[in-house]
Amino acid sequence: MRIIPVLDLKGGQVVRAEQGRRDRYRPIVTPLSASADAVAVAEGLRRLHPFPTLYVADLDAIEGRGPNSETLARLAGMRDAPELWADAGYADAASLEAALETPALCPVLGSESQADTELLRRFGRHPDLILSLDFFADGFRGPANLLEDPDPWPQRVIVMTLAKVGSGAGPDFERLREIKARAGARAVIAAGGVRNEADLRELARLGIAAALVATSLHDGTLTPAQIATLAETPNA
C-alpha cells in the first residue's frame, strides 16, 4: 500500500483540511513542523518516512485566486526532491500542457475544475496525467459524463471524497469499490478519511493502489514502523 502525504496550500502555507469546507481551513499545527511553511511541513513528513511522492492541492489556484507557483517551486527544489502530484485547478490546455512538460510534476485534473471532458479526452493517454473524481457532501462535482464514462480516464484515478477529509470517519469503501469496478486495470487511489493501519490494509484488500493521507500522519496514528511495514508488504 503506497501512502502519499497531502499538502493543502492556501496563501503559501499548509492548511488543515476539514470535510471540504475550505472557508474553515486554517494553517496547520503539527508536531512534525515548527511552522505551516510548506517545505518545513514536507520535511517533517519525510522524517517520518522517505516518502517519494507528495500530493499538493493548490487551493488558491483551484478557487481562482492564482497559483502558489513559488511554493511549488520550493517543494520541487527540496533535497532528494519528491515527485509532486499537483492539483492546481487545471482548466485549460495551455496550463495543463505546461504542467505535463514540467519534470517530476504529475498534474492532477480535478473534476470540480472541468466544464466538460475536452481536456480529459485530449490528454487522458499522457502517462503523467492523473484524474481526480471529486465528491463533496452534496455529491459529485464536475461534468456527469466525466464520471459515467471511464473510457477517457488516464491510468491513475483518485477518488477524492472531500466530505471524509479530516472527519475521522474512515474511507468511503463503497464508492471506492464502485469506481474500482468501473476503472478496470487502472490504478485507483483513495483520498479522504484514512484513520489508521487497519483502514489501509482494508483498502489494499480491495485492490486500491495508494492512499492520500494527512491527518493520521500529523496526529501520530500512523507510526513510522507501521508506514514502513505497509510500504514493504505486498497486498498489505
Side-chain angles (χ1 to χ4, degrees):
M1 169 55 62
R2 186 179 182 188
I3 299 171
I4 302 174
V6 174
L7 301 175
D8 288 299
L9 298 182
K10 192 173 183 179
Q13 294 184 302
V14 178
V15 294
R16 185 176 286 275
E18 183 182 340
Q19 300 175 304
R21 294 178 289 191
R22 292 171 180 157
D23 58 320
R24 301 188 181 188
Y25 291 11
R26 297 292 181 269
I28 196 166
V29 176
T30 171
L32 303 181
S33 172
S35 74
D37 174 76
V39 171
V41 175
E43 289 174 341
L45 286 163
R46 295 179 92 193
R47 283 192 291 271
L48 285 179
H49 184 79
F51 297 107
T53 303
L54 300 176
Y55 173 91
V56 181
D58 186 342
L59 301 176
D60 292 311
I62 290 170
E63 297 186 332
R65 291 188 294 273
N68 283 279
S69 301
E70 181 181 348
T71 302
L72 284 170
R74 290 178 59 227
L75 289 167
M78 291 173 63
R79 184 176 180 180
D80 298 322
E83 178 182 69
L84 298 177
W85 292 11
D87 183 347
Y90 303 110
D92 63 86
S95 62
L96 184 57
E97 281 184 305
L100 287 167
E101 292 171 0
T102 302
L105 177 68
C106 293
V108 176
L109 196 66
S111 66
E112 69 165 301
S113 301
Q114 307 311 302
D116 51 41
T117 62
E118 180 181 351
L119 289 181
L120 184 60
R121 293 187 180 280
R122 180 173 172 182
F123 296 100
R125 294 187 182 276
H126 196 291
D128 290 340
L129 186 69
I130 302 167
L131 172 65
S132 179
L133 299 174
D134 301 326
F135 296 87
F136 286 71
D138 58 355
F140 179 68
R141 192 77 58 86
N145 56 341
L146 189 155
L147 175 63
E148 294 163 359
D149 179 12
D151 184 63
W153 292 359
Q155 289 304 304
R156 290 177 289 184
V157 179
I158 297 169
V159 181
M160 179 70 70
T161 309
L162 285 151
K164 295 276 190 177
V165 172
S167 68
D172 191 336
F173 292 112
E174 182 177 354
R175 177 170 286 139
L176 285 160
R177 287 189 190 95
E178 292 174 357
I179 300 298
K180 175 65 179 168
R182 199 177 305 170
R186 297 173 180 85
V188 175
I189 298 99
V194 171
R195 298 165 294 189
N196 50 37
E197 182 181 4
D199 281 344
L200 289 166
R201 292 188 179 277
E202 179 60 22
L203 289 171
R205 280 191 285 270
L206 293 177
I208 302 303
L212 306 186
V213 180
T215 301
S216 56
L217 295 173
H218 291 288
D219 67 15
T221 304
L222 283 173
T223 68
Q226 289 172 327
I227 296 165
T229 298
L230 288 161
E232 294 166 4
T233 304
N235 299 318

